[in-house]
Amino acid sequence: MPTNATGVVTDTLTDTDTDTPTDTPTDTDTATVTDTASVPAAAAASPLRIPAFRRFLLAHLVSATGSAMAPVALAFAVIGHGGGARSLGVVLTANTVPTLVLLLLGGVLADRMSRSRILFLGNLGAGLAQAAVGVLVATGTATTLAISVCACLSGASAGFIAPAAQGIASRLVPKDRLQQANALVRVPGNAVGVVGPVVGGFVVALAGPAWALGWDAGTFVVAALLLLGLRLTGSVASGGGVVSDLRVGWSGFRSRSWLWSYTVAGTAVVAAWLAGYQLLGPLVAAGSYAGARSWGLVQGAFAAGLLAGTFLCLAWKPRRLMLVCVVTGAGLMLPLAALGLELPLGWVLVAAVLAGIGLDVAIVSWSTVMQQQVPDRELGRLGAFNAVGERAAVPIAYLLVAVASKHWTGQHILLACAGVVLAATLANACVRDVYRINRVSRE
C-alpha cells in the first residue's frame, strides 16, 4: 500500500507561477492561496508562519502515524495467511500497476484542477481500501486475491495523489525557502516513523495486523479532510485536451537532461530498492532474524536515519543540489547488502540508519530542484513523467524476484539488488548536467 498523502515518499528551474497563501490567519480551518509577493518578511523568513503550510504539516503528521505501521502490517498480513515471496510480490504488483497507469492522467489533472481536492479524494479512496484490508484480516477471510484487489484500489488513488502533492510546497512558500519547507514537511512523518515501525511490529506480533491497518485507514481520512481545506487550484488555463497537455509536458521533460537522466537511473534504483527492501526484507527477517520484531527495529532505524537526514537538510544548504541527489541515494545499497550478507542485526540497523540519512537528503534536494527549476504550470506533468519512469520497472522487479526465489536464496537476490543501486548511481554521476543544476537562493 502507498504511504499516506506523501508517499512518500513518500516522499522535488527558474521561471515559475508560484502562489502562496495570504499572511493573515483566518477564523476558519481553510487557507486561501494568493501570490508570493503578499507574504510578509516574517512569513517569508519561516514557512511555519504561513497558516496553510502549518495545515499541510498537520496533515503529514496525522498521516504518518498510520503510514509508519502499515508496511509491517501489510507484509505480515500476507505472511499470516500462508503467503510467501510470490504472494507478497503479487500484492505489491497489484498496488504498483494502477499507480503507473494513472500517474500521467493524475499529472494533467494536478495542473488543471484543484490540487487540494485531488488530494482529498485520493486519500479518502486509499483509506477505504486500507480499511477493507483490515476487515478481511480481522475476519480471517483475507486471501492473496482479496488483498490484491484492495491494493489495486489504493494504488489507483496514489496515481492521483503523487502528482498533486508534488507542487504543494511551491504554492505555499517563496522559492528561496523551498528547501527549508521541504525539510519541515518531512519532519512529522520521519519523527513518528522512528517509533511507528517498532510499535507496528509489536502490535502485529501481539494483536495481529488488522489493528494497525485499521488505524492507517483512519489517518488517511483525517489527512484527506485537512488537505481539502488548502483550496489549491490548478495552473493550466489552456483549452487543449489531455493528450495535448501530455505532449507539452513530454517536451519539457525530455528537454531537461538532468531530469530524464535522473529518472532513468531512478528506474533501476527504485526497482532494486523496493524489490529488495520491501519485498524480500520481511521474508529474510522472518527466516534469519526474529521476524516482525526484528523487521520493526530495522524500519525504525531506517526512519531514524530519515529524521536525521531531515535535520541535516535544515542546517545544510548545498549549492550543487542535483549532484547531492545522485550521490546520497547510493546509501540505499547498504541495508540490502547487510541483509544479503546476513550480518548481525546491529550492523543491519546501522546500515538502515545511513540509508535513511542519504535517502532523506536526496528526497529534500530533489523536491527543491523540481520546484525551483520547473514552472508550476508544468510541475504536475513533469513530476508524473518522473514518477512513472522511476516506478516503471517496479512490477517487473517484483515478478523477477518471485521467479528468482525458486532458484536463488533471498540473500543472493538482495546482494544483486545492492549491486544494481551502485551501478545506476555511478552511471548517473557521469551525466554532465548533474553538475550544472544548483540551488536557487533568491528570486
Side-chain angles (χ1 to χ4, degrees):
M1 298 286 181
T3 54
N4 286 0
T6 67
V8 88
V9 283
T10 176
D11 284 169
T12 353
L13 255 239
T14 29
D15 197 43
T16 69
D17 295 326
T18 53
D19 295 322
T20 54
T22 53
D23 56 294
T24 305
T26 64
D27 292 330
T28 67
D29 273 342
T30 60
T32 304
V33 178
T34 59
D35 189 81
T36 305
S38 67
V39 179
S46 173
L48 293 175
R49 299 290 301 272
I50 303 173
F53 184 76
R54 293 199 301 268
R55 187 186 188 90
F56 189 47
L57 275 181
L58 180 59
H60 275 258
L61 176 60
V62 172
S63 174
T65 62
S67 292
M69 294 188 290
V72 178
L74 179 64
F76 285 91
V78 175
I79 295 172
H81 76 267
R86 295 184 203 174
S87 294
L88 191 54
V90 169
V91 171
L92 295 175
T93 300
N95 176 245
T96 304
V97 171
T99 303
L100 287 172
V101 171
L102 294 173
L103 267 173
L104 295 181
L105 176 60
V108 172
L109 294 180
D111 288 338
R112 282 177 165 266
M113 299 173 57
S114 167
R115 290 174 180 172
S116 53
R117 186 168 296 276
I118 292 173
L119 290 175
F120 166 74
L121 294 173
N123 278 275
L124 186 62
L128 294 175
Q130 197 78 314
V133 177
V135 171
L136 290 170
V137 173
T139 58
T141 57
T143 64
T144 299
L145 176 60
I147 296 176
S148 296
V149 170
C150 295
C152 182
L153 295 175
S154 185
S157 297
F160 295 99
I161 291 173
Q166 176 72 43
I168 298 296
S170 62
R171 290 291 196 92
L172 302 179
V173 302
K175 264 169 60 167
D176 62 328
R177 295 295 172 181
L178 279 173
Q179 181 176 329
Q180 181 185 12
N182 288 321
L184 287 170
V185 164
R186 296 189 57 78
V187 169
N190 290 340
V192 173
V194 173
V195 296
V198 179
V199 173
F202 280 100
V203 169
V204 170
L206 298 175
W211 287 95
L213 292 168
W215 177 262
D216 189 34
T219 61
F220 266 121
V221 175
V222 174
L225 295 173
L226 288 169
L227 292 166
L228 180 62
L230 290 176
R231 293 183 179 178
L232 297 175
T233 60
S235 301
V236 178
S238 67
V242 171
V243 175
S244 176
D245 284 351
L246 285 175
R247 286 175 179 168
V248 173
W250 176 250
S251 177
F253 176 82
R254 67 179 185 177
S255 69
R256 295 169 169 87
S257 59
W258 59 267
L259 176 53
W260 64 255
S261 64
Y262 187 74
T263 301
V264 171
T267 301
V269 171
V270 172
W273 167 248
L274 292 180
Y277 186 79
Q278 187 175 2
L279 177 55
L280 290 176
L283 298 172
V284 172
S288 301
Y289 298 91
R293 289 183 178 86
S294 292
W295 188 239
L297 289 172
V298 172
Q299 290 205 308
F302 182 67
L306 290 173
L307 182 60
T310 297
F311 286 113
L312 177 59
C313 289
L314 287 172
W316 180 42
K317 296 179 174 58
R319 180 171 177 268
R320 296 187 182 275
L321 275 180
M322 197 63 229
L323 180 60
V324 169
C325 290
V326 173
V327 174
T328 54
L332 293 177
M333 71 179 184
L334 297 177
L336 299 178
L339 287 168
L341 294 172
E342 292 187 302
L343 297 181
L345 182 60
W347 286 107
V348 176
L349 297 181
V350 170
V353 169
L354 294 176
I357 293 173
L359 179 60
D360 208 78
V361 171
I363 289 173
V364 171
S365 300
W366 176 247
S367 296
T368 304
V369 166
M370 286 290 288
Q371 293 160 0
Q372 288 184 343
Q373 302 291 336
V374 176
D376 184 74
R377 61 182 176 272
E378 297 180 73
L379 194 52
R381 285 164 291 170
L382 268 61
F385 280 118
N386 168 253
V388 169
E390 289 189 339
R391 302 182 193 192
V394 173
I396 299 174
Y398 287 152
L399 294 176
L400 286 176
V401 167
V403 173
S405 64
K406 297 180 181 179
H407 309 286
W408 291 2
T409 65
Q411 289 80 357
H412 288 153
I413 299 174
L414 282 167
L415 291 175
C417 289
V420 170
V421 172
L422 177 60
T425 299
L426 292 175
N428 197 191
C430 295
V431 177
R432 183 180 302 176
D433 276 357
V434 164
Y435 301 85
R436 295 177 178 176
I437 301 300
N438 302 322
R439 182 170 59 89
V440 175
S441 298
R442 295 187 182 277
E443 286 287 331

